[in-house]
Amino acid sequence: MRVSVFGLGYVGCVSAACLAGMGHEVIGVDVNQVKVDLVNDGKAPVVEERIGELIAEVVETGALRATGDVREAIMGSEVSLVCVGTPSEPNGSLCTTYLERVTEQIGAALADRGGLGGLGGLGGRHTVVFRSTMLPGTALNLLVPILEKYVGGTAGVDFGVAVNPEFLREGTSVRDFFDPPKTVVGELDPASGDVMTALYDGLPGEVFRVPVATAEAIKYADNAFHGLKIGFANELGAVCQALGVDSHQVMDVFLADRKLNISPAYLRPGFAFGGSCLPKDLRSLVHAAQRADVSVPILAHVLPSNSAHLERAVELVERTGKRRVGMFGLSFKPGTDDLRESPLVELAERLFGKGYDLRIHDANVSLSRLLGANREYVETRLPHLAQLLAESVEEVLEHAEVCLVGTRDPAVLSALPHGDGPTIVDLIHLPDAEARRAEPGYVGLAW
């Protein structure tokens, strides 16, 4: 395929060289003439493992050349990859200046090319691919309107648009390109996605074809988690050192657990956590760090973050403007009657305290069977539980204008109405959540 790559920094330079190495005909584009000249001389404008040899090879064979002329690049390609920088503004917001500028230039060049069908190729039209890291909504709300304005056509019809985030680590980016953990294609339309899958044909790893905004968000999910992991390990290491423990030995054992620790476990958006272990252990660990004068801002903010998520559920109920509320689920975890530090108990406490007319059903919770610390906890936090508990699912549904679903009890799931009936506030991502999204009476907590 004939490909133009806009921006010859780390991402653009590596992408251009590697695509040329795969057999594509690539034109690199940059406003910096020094970078353009370096590439045309077979030299890399960045320092990176293997990139120098690769660029020398593909320039010599004619598979890669560079230019500062946007129109020349557009005329000579059927796919354009936008790899310009998106730095932070002083206030932390995303700077889209370079993205907007290059999008305007690409749009103007496409209009000048004469005929939106242009060079033929896959789908008989040009496809603009945004590889720069950008927040969800940037492509559809900012960049696509710019293209449509300058081109004078419709995105997804007259020209293709896709978002293709990169997962390249500086220092190993060439290796990462040829052996990616995954390939994400955010497609405006199927034909745009077809172009991208053809472009990367032959590379290993799973290909995910998703909506444009999902592709934009995936990059942020990855980088936020990477930062969180590093920060977590460093904070834990500092606490262990202060307590005289070998942190690397601790983490060796931690990492060996592939069932819960290094796994998909707990990584699905849902409701807040609770129970007799996680909250108290986080508190004691943070307290131990404070006593040792060790700053642990990540660990110290896990419980406040958890409380903020619970507060979102309260706000969802408040927004309905309705007063009769039903709750399904009360224990901190399905299949148990343990109410200690259950976020559902706290949610019930807050709603009851705000004057909501509340009914609760949990098949595992019977006041007469609660014993010891479990009973003591709920009597302290929710002393009116006896009058709030309902004997059946039907009793809650008959009472409620709003239903909070915090359990996957089959009896509850099968009884939840569709369409007419109470507003469903989904705290757990119901099995049929995607279908329910189209219903006016459904609200998901974090999806």
Side-chain angles (χ1 to χ4, degrees):
M1 296 171 67
R2 292 169 294 185
V3 184
S4 50
V5 177
F6 289 81
L8 291 174
Y10 276 92
V11 173
C13 180
V14 171
S15 298
C18 292
L19 286 168
M22 292 176 68
H24 299 295
E25 183 182 321
V26 184
I27 307 172
V29 188
D30 204 284
V31 294
N32 188 325
Q33 189 61 39
V34 174
K35 291 184 179 181
V36 171
D37 292 341
L38 280 170
V39 170
N40 286 330
D41 288 341
K43 299 173 184 175
V46 299
V47 176
E48 183 72 23
E49 180 187 86
R50 290 175 55 188
I51 193 66
E53 301 90 330
L54 182 57
I55 284 184
E57 177 186 323
V58 294
V59 169
E60 185 178 356
T61 63
L64 173 64
R65 63 185 177 89
T67 181
D69 189 329
V70 173
R71 283 173 174 77
E72 177 191 349
I74 292 297
M75 295 294 181
S77 61
E78 57 198 298
V79 182
S80 295
L81 301 189
V82 176
C83 303
V84 298
T86 50
S88 292
E89 297 283 15
N91 66 357
S93 64
L94 187 74
C95 174
T96 59
T97 302
Y98 307 117
L99 272 174
E100 293 175 61
R101 187 178 303 157
V102 76
T103 302
E104 290 170 355
Q105 293 171 338
I106 290 171
L110 283 171
D112 287 350
R113 197 170 66 178
L116 292 173
L119 286 170
L122 286 176
R125 61 181 190 176
H126 200 92
T127 301
V128 182
V129 181
F130 296 100
R131 198 153 162 77
S132 304
T133 300
M134 51 196 191
L135 288 165
T138 305
L140 295 183
N141 299 333
L142 177 65
L143 303 178
V144 166
I146 291 174
L147 281 172
E148 291 182 331
K149 172 187 172 183
Y150 278 83
V151 174
T154 302
V157 177
D158 299 304
F159 58 92
V161 171
V163 168
N164 171 227
E166 46 79 23
F167 305 100
L168 308 175
R169 298 166 295 172
E170 289 188 28
T172 61
S173 57
V174 173
R175 270 185 285 158
D176 290 342
F177 185 97
F178 287 118
D179 188 18
K182 57 184 175 289
T183 297
V184 176
V185 176
E187 55 187 35
L188 185 65
D189 62 296
S192 298
D194 290 343
V195 170
M196 295 309 300
T197 55
L199 185 68
Y200 293 120
D201 185 45
L203 290 182
E206 190 169 357
V207 177
F208 296 90
R209 295 178 65 162
V210 297
V212 165
T214 301
E216 291 168 315
I218 286 167
K219 175 68 173 181
Y220 283 92
D222 279 30
N223 283 353
F225 191 47
H226 297 331
L228 179 63
K229 287 187 290 186
I230 293 167
F232 168 78
N234 289 341
E235 286 191 4
L236 197 66
V239 175
C240 286
Q241 183 184 47
L243 299 178
V245 177
D246 184 338
S247 63
H248 280 265
Q249 193 173 57
V250 170
M251 292 308 291
D252 284 343
V253 178
F254 172 87
L255 293 169
D257 181 349
R258 300 305 174 101
K259 185 175 182 180
L260 297 178
N261 292 346
I262 310 303
S263 75
Y266 309 124
L267 283 173
R268 293 288 182 184
F271 195 39
F273 65 77
S276 59
C277 296
L278 299 189
K280 81 172 179 64
D281 291 347
L282 276 162
R283 284 190 206 101
S284 59
L285 183 62
V286 170
H287 185 261
Q290 291 169 342
R291 288 188 62 186
D293 289 327
V294 175
S295 175
V296 287
I298 292 174
L299 293 171
H301 283 84
V302 174
L303 285 172
S305 171
N306 198 49
S307 295
H309 198 54
L310 190 147
E311 187 59 35
R312 291 183 190 107
V314 176
E315 290 170 0
L316 288 179
V317 175
E318 290 176 335
R319 284 181 208 159
T320 68
K322 299 171 181 176
R323 304 302 299 174
R324 295 200 313 274
V325 178
M327 271 184 62
F328 291 117
L330 194 62
S331 62
F332 92 96
K333 193 175 183 180
T336 175
D337 68 348
D338 194 346
L339 303 176
R340 290 172 295 173
E341 300 217 41
S342 167
L344 291 167
V345 170
E346 186 170 347
L347 177 58
E349 179 186 14
R350 293 206 196 176
L351 293 172
F352 186 77
K354 288 175 176 284
Y356 285 93
D357 185 359
L358 187 61
R359 294 290 183 278
I360 305 168
H361 176 74
D362 187 322
N364 292 311
V365 175
S366 170
L367 206 54
S368 62
R369 294 200 305 265
L370 294 178
L371 303 171
N374 199 12
R375 187 180 185 95
E376 183 180 335
Y377 178 82
V378 77
E379 285 178 346
T380 302
R381 299 303 299 268
L382 205 57
H384 304 286
L385 181 59
Q387 69 189 65
L388 303 179
L389 284 176
E391 291 292 327
S392 67
V393 174
E394 290 70 28
E395 185 181 340
V396 172
L397 289 174
E398 287 173 8
H399 165 81
E401 297 172 294
V402 183
C403 270
L404 294 136
V405 184
T407 177
R408 291 182 179 273
D409 181 348
V412 173
L413 300 186
S414 62
L416 289 177
H418 288 268
D420 294 336
T423 298
I424 304 295
V425 177
D426 181 1
L427 305 178
I428 58 167
H429 197 256
L430 291 166
D432 59 350
E434 297 307 314
R436 286 183 178 272
R437 270 183 172 173
E439 299 174 4
Y442 171 85
V443 183
L445 178 59
W447 42 88

